[in-house]
Amino acid sequence: AQSVTQLDSQVPVFEEAPVELRCNYSSSVSVYLFWYVQYPNQGLQLLLKYLSGSTLVESINGFEAEFNKSQTSFHLRKPSVHISDTAEYFCAVSRMDSSYKLIFGSGTRLLVRP
Amino acid sequence: DGGITQSPKYLFRKEGQNVTLSCEQNLNHDAMYWYRQDPGQGLRLIYYSQIVNDFQKGDIAEGYSVSREKKESFPLTVTSAQKNPTAFYLCASTPGQGVSYGYTFGSGTRLTVV
């Protein structure tokens, strides 16, 4: 079975500082990896995903994540955060051979302070 | 614009009542999902359906029921057998090719037992 661990339940950071949200996964088979963002009282929005190819993937709003197979990690980074990045971020994994279900981590709340 | 509509946004249920949460999509997606979100626990899969008239239990199906009579609709009934139904419920969908395309989420229904 697959599982996802997001060790940090909350990450406070000052505006314009860099941030890293950690995600580790466990799986015996190859997986797809995703990051989703959730603003208060809303659904989740896809931020970025890793399917294959380059291990570094980027989103349109400056976030990036790197797939590290040896460390089974998919950490999310941004070099300079804005107040508007305050949200909850979820890492998720899906098996490549049965790709209808996503398994989500418990989420990390990013709190950007002025 | 295409998307997923969940209604109502807020729902209050008395002890012993069944309630039904609506989920409608106009994305022509084949697969639909129901997730439950509790603080600090991430998202947990309740039920999913890959095609019309077929659905499978997720990790926490007890106390819930679903139907998939139309491609566009996947209602969730929270029955009186669900002992702790207060939560945020999210509906999602994916194209027939699976989750590698990413889930599209609705904006959620917040259910409170009074």
Side-chain angles (χ1 to χ4, degrees), chain A residues 32 34 36 38 41-46 49 51 88 90 94-95 99-107, chain B residues 9 31 33 35 37 40-43 45 48 50 88 90 96 98-103 105-107 110:
Chain A
Y32 298 131
F34 304 82
Y36 283 82
Q38 184 182 34
N41 292 311
Q42 295 186 24
L44 278 69
Q45 303 171 29
L46 180 64
K49 61 184 178 183
L51 304 181
E88 187 140 22
F90 291 92
S94 170
R95 295 170 60 119
S99 57
Y100 275 95
K101 291 169 55 176
L102 277 182
I103 307 298
F104 287 87
S106 56
Chain B
K9 190 171 180 64
Y33 309 79
Y35 281 88
Q37 185 178 17
Q41 294 192 46
L43 281 72
L45 182 63
Y48 66 103
Q50 297 179 15
F88 191 49
L90 288 161
V99 77
S100 61
Y101 284 76
Y103 280 12
F105 279 90
S107 57
R110 188 167 298 279

Side-chain angles (χ1 to χ4, degrees), chain A:
Chain A
Q2 294 71 48
S3 66
V4 179
T5 301
Q6 293 182 248
L7 288 172
D8 305 306
S9 60
Q10 182 165 300
V11 173
V13 63
F14 287 107
E15 193 174 18
E16 298 183 2
V19 70
E20 178 179 83
L21 306 184
R22 296 180 293 168
C23 172
N24 287 90
Y25 70 92
S26 173
S27 178
S28 58
V29 299
S30 296
V31 296
Y32 298 131
L33 294 157
F34 304 82
W35 275 101
Y36 283 82
V37 59
Q38 184 182 34
Y39 299 100
N41 292 311
Q42 295 186 24
L44 278 69
Q45 303 171 29
L46 180 64
L47 192 58
L48 46 76
K49 61 184 178 183
Y50 171 78
L51 304 181
S52 64
S54 173
T55 57
L56 184 65
V57 291
E58 299 176 352
S59 72
I60 59 173
N61 56 355
F63 283 96
E64 64 179 31
E66 186 161 18
F67 170 56
N68 187 319
K69 188 174 183 178
S70 62
Q71 297 188 8
T72 60
S73 68
F74 191 54
H75 301 330
L76 182 70
R77 302 183 182 97
K78 190 170 185 179
S80 175
V81 294
H82 302 129
I83 296 288
S84 59
D85 292 324
T86 294
E88 187 140 22
Y89 292 79
F90 291 92
C91 183
V93 63
S94 170
R95 295 170 60 119
M96 284 188 182
D97 61 352
S98 178
S99 57
Y100 275 95
K101 291 169 55 176
L102 277 182
I103 307 298
F104 287 87
S106 56
T108 297
R109 180 168 299 279
L110 176 62
L111 180 58
V112 181
R113 298 166 173 167

Side-chain angles (χ1 to χ4, degrees), chain B:
Chain B
D1 289 338
I4 297 181
T5 301
Q6 289 188 242
S7 62
K9 190 171 180 64
Y10 299 96
L11 186 58
F12 296 90
R13 190 193 93 169
K14 293 182 179 179
E15 294 280 355
Q17 273 186 338
N18 292 356
V19 291
T20 297
L21 283 59
S22 172
C23 177
E24 303 277 335
Q25 54 101 357
N26 61 2
L27 300 164
N28 199 33
H29 283 177
D30 291 301
M32 298 186 73
Y33 309 79
W34 275 105
Y35 281 88
R36 169 179 171 144
Q37 185 178 17
D38 296 283
Q41 294 192 46
L43 281 72
R44 293 180 290 169
L45 182 63
I46 305 173
Y47 269 98
Y48 66 103
S49 167
Q50 297 179 15
I51 56 173
V52 174
N53 293 323
D54 186 46
F55 48 82
Q56 288 78 40
K57 292 182 179 180
D59 301 317
I60 56 165
E62 184 175 353
Y64 300 97
S65 65
V66 294
S67 62
R68 187 85 187 277
E69 298 176 0
K70 299 186 300 182
K71 187 175 184 178
E72 303 79 20
S73 179
F74 192 42
L76 173 74
T77 296
V78 184
T79 75
S80 56
Q82 171 49 239
K83 297 307 178 188
N84 185 23
T86 294
F88 191 49
Y89 290 87
L90 288 161
C91 180
S93 69
T94 58
Q97 298 88 343
V99 77
S100 61
Y101 284 76
Y103 280 12
T104 299
F105 279 90
S107 57
T109 293
R110 188 167 298 279
L111 174 63
T112 303
V113 173
V114 297

